Amino acid sequence: MKTHILTLTLSFIFCLTALAELKWEQTAVELHPARGDKQAIGHYKYQNVGKTPVHFKSVHASCGCTAAQSQKDQVGPGEKGEITATFNIGDRTGTQVKTVTVETDEAANQKTVLTLKAVIPQELEISPTFVFWKQGEKPEPKTITVHAGKDFSVKHIKVTSSSPDFQTKVEETGEGQFKVDVHPNETSRLLASTLTIQSENSPKTFYATARITTAPTAPGAPAIQKAPGAPAAPTAPARPPAPTGQTR
């Protein structure tokens, strides 16, 4: 009886190993597109190391800026192939991570997630991207530094404020390096501005934010009690959201 059970167990294990199975050379790639490249393409090679064919049910990317494609719909035992993922760079900069989900009829591993990481040269590096003043604070200038990224030549930049309540002044401090002084006309009320930053010969746009904020309450300070019959304080206008970074 024990021998019979052992034989069945071994037969079951053998059947599992004989099933279709894709073996991937790699499921993650890191790409470094050159300046001016419009696309970054990842290649994911595989082989069916099982004994039965593998059928692809679906291959889809995580976003509309990436297209994924399989060379074939079915992979026979021992056959090789690859999935390609094409990321359209557009005006994106910095590190971009995209995924492609591959679904097959494999019994053991029906879904495989492929990762494409693209490190795109950034034309301008900005620090900080947010400057602020507390309400009632002296409206002195605060500085944003801008410098050209590696392999980029930038001689001039243009900075524009979305609000006339904030003024900007650009000063070149070195080759490809700039200082942007930002100051509000006043700090008596809540204000916000989006600062648009561009180099002279590039269509790409970068952003920073300037804002007048409310003064924070000191930790542990008792709440101020309103005198009976006193009018309610006016509600401060809602602050617009800060931009997330460069245009996507």
Side-chain angles (χ1 to χ4, degrees):
M1 182 66 180
K2 291 183 178 179
T3 302
H4 182 63
I5 294 175
L6 178 61
T7 302
L8 289 176
T9 302
L10 291 175
S11 297
F12 179 70
I13 294 174
F14 176 77
C15 289
L16 286 179
T17 58
L19 293 175
E21 180 186 356
L22 290 186
K23 182 177 181 181
W24 298 87
E25 285 190 8
Q26 57 184 359
T27 57
V29 297
E30 180 174 322
L31 304 175
H32 294 261
R35 177 184 177 183
D37 285 355
K38 299 185 181 300
Q39 294 181 329
I41 303 176
H43 299 271
Y44 307 86
K45 297 183 179 181
Y46 59 78
Q47 180 179 13
N48 182 359
V49 297
K51 301 298 182 181
T52 58
V54 173
H55 299 86
F56 287 99
K57 293 182 178 180
S58 66
V59 178
H60 64 271
S62 58
C63 69
C65 60
T66 305
Q69 184 177 6
S70 173
Q71 288 181 326
K72 53 189 76 176
D73 297 327
Q74 176 180 309
V75 187
E79 288 186 357
K80 297 181 179 180
E82 73 175 29
I83 301 289
T84 57
T86 303
F87 167 55
N88 294 308
I89 296 174
D91 61 355
R92 298 170 182 84
T93 59
T95 300
Q96 304 285 327
V97 178
K98 309 299 175 183
T99 60
V100 173
T101 301
V102 180
E103 186 174 3
T104 68
D105 61 356
E106 297 176 73
N109 188 23
Q110 294 184 350
K111 286 188 178 181
T112 301
V113 177
L114 310 175
T115 303
L116 186 154
K117 179 179 179 181
V119 182
I120 306 166
Q122 186 156 313
E123 184 173 346
L124 295 179
E125 296 181 11
I126 301 167
S127 179
T129 57
F130 175 56
V131 290
F132 70 96
W133 295 255
K134 294 178 183 178
Q135 193 171 8
E137 180 183 341
K138 189 175 181 180
E140 295 181 336
K142 298 200 174 181
T143 300
I144 295 174
T145 59
V146 179
H147 63 88
K150 183 181 179 181
D151 300 327
F152 285 91
S153 176
V154 177
K155 294 183 178 180
H156 302 285
I157 64 170
K158 179 182 179 182
V159 181
T160 306
S161 171
S162 65
S163 168
D165 295 307
F166 291 84
Q167 306 300 319
T168 62
K169 179 183 177 182
V170 178
E171 179 183 346
E172 184 176 356
T173 57
E175 186 175 353
Q177 299 181 15
F178 307 89
K179 180 179 75 169
V180 181
D181 285 335
V182 185
H183 72 88
N185 296 332
E186 56 159 323
T187 62
S188 61
R189 56 195 177 99
L190 302 182
L191 298 168
S193 174
T194 298
L195 307 177
T196 303
I197 304 171
Q198 285 181 293
S199 64
E200 60 176 351
N201 297 320
S202 173
K204 291 188 178 181
T205 304
F206 299 83
Y207 299 99
T209 302
R211 182 174 292 170
I212 309 299
T213 67
T214 55
T217 303
I224 299 174
Q225 299 296 323
K226 184 180 70 173
T235 302
R239 294 176 290 177
T244 58
Q246 53 272 10
T247 303
R248 300 291 183 205

